[in-house]
Amino acid sequence: MTSHCLSLEDLSKDDMLYLINLSQEIKQKLEKGEEYKPLKGAILGMIFEKSSTRTRLSFEVGMKRLGGDAVFLSTRDIQLGRGETIEDTARVISRYVDVVMIRTFEHSRIELFAKYSSVPVINALTDLLHPCQVLADLFTIREKLGSVEDVKVAYVGDGNNMANSWLIAAGVMGFDLSIATSKDCAINGFILNRAKDLAKNSGANIIVIEDPVEAVKGADVIYTDVWASMGQEEQREKKHVLLKPYQVNKELIKHAKDNFIFMHCLPAHRGEEVTADVIDSEHSVVWDEAENRMYAQLAVIMKLIGRDR
Ligand code: CP
Ligand code: NVA
């Protein structure tokens, strides 16, 4: 594992399995109410350039539960929002805290921050990737299905930061991934090529197609996400037309395995990318998935700052 966590490509398959095991250990200890404070005295800086419910809460509450603390920094309030450079912001913030998480727009912003930060930096979502979400999702899949290697994941919907993160995860871990999206909501070509390169080693079978039924056939996991991501609001109407055939509904799920699980990073829009009778069904694991964000991110922080031993 490198000194930052900007992409799941920063992790090896062994790192991912290690972090999943550590997530499980943290969850068990917290559920049992054990005195467990491995992050005592550690402080996380949290820079948000976009909105958040789950990411903010899971990082902030998680730090406090394990004995550390967190400082919320919105670009509406800090000088970064008034033109102080990313380089200077990184140099300064990293003098005060032990680890930083950032939610921002262009991926190059977090890469630049990481270059000038003297402490580890974690990607809490960029326009390109959302690695913490997929790490928590892999933990949830293992919890529910017993494996993260011998599964078929079907991602149905927009070719966005979640789709990209699934591609990299499959490339590293070696599970099968079918993505169904409109050719006009195309997947990032660079990410797809990286995933296919990684798959040569891991054995992942990665398919990107237009037919959602074909993608979902025999799937253990059906995953979807909003049709218009944060920062893409002006594309909302266009995406709604293009992605209408990609709604996860009662008809589509008939093609998955009988015991498939439905996942969504949330926030969800019932009646758009998923119908209420799917997200609120017994197949849906979205609430456990949201909870697991906390354990997975704590595992990443513990590993990055050497508190996991
Ligand atoms: N899934 C996720 O990252 O949710 P928030 O946008 O609420 O943080
Ligand atoms: N693709 C979505 C994910 C939200 C967690 C977005 O970027 O808005």
Side-chain angles (χ1 to χ4, degrees), residues 86-103:
I86 294 177
E87 295 90 320
D88 291 355
T89 306
R91 287 178 176 115
V92 171
I93 290 180
S94 59
R95 293 284 177 110
Y96 298 120
V97 301
D98 303 287
V99 51
V100 177
M101 60 117 285
I102 308 180
R103 167 167 286 197

Side-chain angles (χ1 to χ4, degrees), residues 27 139-147 261 285 288-289 292:
K27 184 170 184 172
F139 168 41
T140 308
I141 291 172
R142 220 234 347 233
E143 204 175 46
K144 303 291 175 190
L145 303 176
S147 167
I261 55 173
V285 299
D288 290 336
E289 180 186 0
N292 284 343

Side-chain angles (χ1 to χ4, degrees), residues 13 75 92 122 151 184 205-206 213 215 220 250 263 294:
K13 178 175 173 173
T75 40
V92 171
I122 299 170
V151 291
D184 297 312
N205 184 20
I206 294 176
V213 170
D220 300 282
K250 279 270 182 208
M263 302 182 80
M294 185 164 86

Side-chain angles (χ1 to χ4, degrees), residues 2-53:
T2 60
S3 52
H4 302 295
C5 182
L6 305 188
S7 162
L8 291 177
E9 250 199 282
D10 295 334
L11 309 178
S12 64
K13 178 175 173 173
D14 284 348
D15 288 333
M16 279 198 204
L17 291 170
Y18 173 82
L19 291 172
I20 290 169
N21 289 336
L22 185 55
S23 309
Q24 191 175 18
E25 207 179 302
I26 297 167
K27 184 170 184 172
Q28 279 165 355
K29 286 186 194 293
L30 288 179
E31 279 182 349
K32 279 192 208 144
E34 277 181 31
E35 179 67 14
Y36 181 56
K37 305 286 176 201
L39 292 175
K40 189 159 184 272
I43 298 190
L44 169 73
M46 307 195 301
I47 303 176
F48 281 91
E49 300 203 277
K50 292 177 176 173
S51 308
S52 169
T53 298

